[in-house]
Amino acid sequence: MKLNRSKAETALQEAEKSNPGPWVEHSRYVAEACKNIAERCSHLSAEKAYIYGLLHDIGRYAGVSSEKHLIDGYRYCMERGWDKAAQICISHAFMIQDIHSSIGTFDVSEEDYQFMEKFIDNAVYDDYDRLVQLCDALALPTGFCILEKRFVDVTIRYGVHPYTVDRWKKILEIRSDFEEKIQCSIYELLPGVIENSFK
């Protein structure tokens, strides 16, 4: 089944019925941020970027979970032949390609953990993976925000982990890479980002 924007939006709507929550609006803002940045990158498709952003947390359809949503999303997309979206369901949480860099809880079986560890080690990231990693850190359920506000939001909810600062550094590095490509601040492409950051 070929993936397009309409199918992605339908999938998110159905997932919301299964597990309503702020993750849905967060996903929509991530998608919008991905699209806005990709539009300025000649090597990226804004349509694909939007879709990957919209589906990055689709595994949450299965209910409230921590890292289980990553593999649930991977399987959801693979069952539909959406291979790249499936990869991003896992890769968006691992800007550092090491399963130990996770800040969540591995509420998965040992078999699934081993699968994810191998998958992360062997995944080849491209700018779609990196764009979703970046935009995941630019979006609250209430709108766009500066990276530092999202860093604090996530740390309050998940606590401080050994990889917390390294994860921040990696996201800031990805931001710099994209700003070099688009020749402007990413924040210029995110409506209301400053206002929402200081609410």
Side-chain angles (χ1 to χ4, degrees):
M1 185 187 346
K2 184 172 171 56
L3 180 57
N4 57 36
R5 182 167 174 156
S6 175
K7 285 189 175 70
E9 288 175 342
T10 298
L12 188 66
Q13 288 163 9
E14 290 173 355
E16 183 176 20
K17 291 175 189 172
S18 299
N19 179 28
W23 71 272
V24 178
E25 285 307 310
H26 161 71
S27 297
R28 292 193 174 109
Y29 280 111
V30 172
E32 193 68 22
C34 286
K35 176 182 73 70
N36 290 358
I37 295 170
E39 282 175 343
R40 301 285 289 268
C41 298
S42 59
H43 67 301
L44 295 179
S45 158
E47 182 84 352
K48 285 182 182 178
Y50 180 90
I51 289 166
Y52 297 147
L54 200 67
L55 296 179
H56 80 284
D57 271 348
I58 196 69
R60 295 198 182 281
Y61 84 91
V64 177
S65 67
S66 185
E67 300 302 66
K68 184 174 181 289
H69 84 278
L70 307 177
I71 196 160
D72 284 341
Y74 172 84
R75 288 184 173 134
Y76 178 98
C77 291
M78 286 300 289
E79 284 167 7
R80 291 157 176 79
W82 303 342
D83 294 16
K84 185 60 184 180
Q87 172 166 311
I88 288 174
C89 284
I90 294 179
S91 72
H92 80 268
F94 296 96
M95 61 289 299
I96 297 171
Q97 283 189 250
D98 181 342
I99 199 165
H100 302 102
S101 69
S102 164
I103 59 169
T105 301
F106 280 97
D107 45 351
V108 299
S109 68
E110 181 60 29
E111 183 181 358
D112 283 350
Y113 180 89
Q114 289 177 2
F115 170 83
M116 290 174 70
E117 183 174 30
K118 185 176 180 183
F119 184 89
I120 294 157
D121 285 346
N122 295 325
V124 177
Y125 289 2
D126 62 18
D127 272 354
Y128 289 111
D129 296 270
R130 288 182 281 270
L131 182 60
V132 177
Q133 290 164 358
L134 174 62
C135 293
D136 193 24
L138 290 167
L140 294 167
T142 53
F144 303 121
C145 65
I146 60 173
L147 290 173
E148 290 79 2
K149 179 168 183 177
R150 178 73 166 151
F151 291 166
V152 172
D153 166 67
V154 171
T155 304
I156 286 171
R157 287 187 289 119
Y158 288 91
V160 178
H161 291 259
Y163 280 86
T164 294
V165 173
D166 288 336
R167 288 167 61 92
W168 292 350
K169 287 178 178 176
K170 188 63 179 177
I171 290 296
L172 292 171
E173 178 188 311
I174 294 169
R175 180 188 71 179
S176 294
D177 289 344
F178 273 101
E179 287 185 335
E180 193 172 329
K181 289 180 172 75
I182 65 178
Q183 291 294 296
C184 71
S185 166
I186 54 171
Y187 299 131
E188 291 180 33
L189 308 180
L190 307 176
V193 63
I194 301 303
E195 295 90 330
N196 197 56
S197 295
F198 293 97
K199 281 182 180 176

